[in-house]
Amino acid sequence: MFPFSDKELLKPVLSSINKVRPVLLRDGGDIEVIKIENARVFVRLQGACHGCASRHITLKNGIEATLQRDIHPDIEVIEI
């Protein structure tokens, strides 16, 4: 069982994503958190990141890895 509610995760998730956001902005992109359900963070990539061939690497190795390190290793990021 995941130790945090979805509501409790919102603030730390946004804080953690803000650590990665400057890299996305520098490349002409951005990220939006759509919702959090059952420790899964649903996001939408924007700008140059939307449709980028490397977006899956950015999501898993950048965003998801940061959330797992900062908050909990079972957090998952899903692009919608």
Side-chain angles (χ1 to χ4, degrees):
M1 180 162 168
F2 198 76
F4 308 104
S5 73
D6 295 337
K7 185 177 179 180
E8 290 172 318
L9 283 174
L10 182 59
K11 188 173 181 177
V13 162
L14 293 175
S15 177
S16 189
I17 284 178
N18 281 333
K19 293 179 182 179
V20 180
R21 180 169 269 125
V23 175
L24 301 175
L25 292 171
R26 185 173 45 236
D27 288 340
D30 203 357
I31 186 169
E32 175 186 11
V33 174
I34 305 300
K35 64 181 177 178
I36 301 172
E37 282 184 6
N38 302 317
R40 296 182 321 185
V41 180
F42 293 84
V43 300
R44 180 176 296 126
L45 293 174
Q46 300 172 332
C49 292
H50 176 73
C52 173
S54 299
R55 73 184 181 275
H56 298 294
I57 294 168
T58 299
L59 283 171
K60 293 298 175 185
N61 296 345
I63 298 162
E64 186 173 87
T66 300
L67 291 173
Q68 289 173 342
R69 185 177 51 251
D70 289 352
I71 302 168
H72 195 277
D74 292 336
I75 287 181
E76 182 180 2
V77 173
I78 299 170
E79 180 185 14
I80 57 172

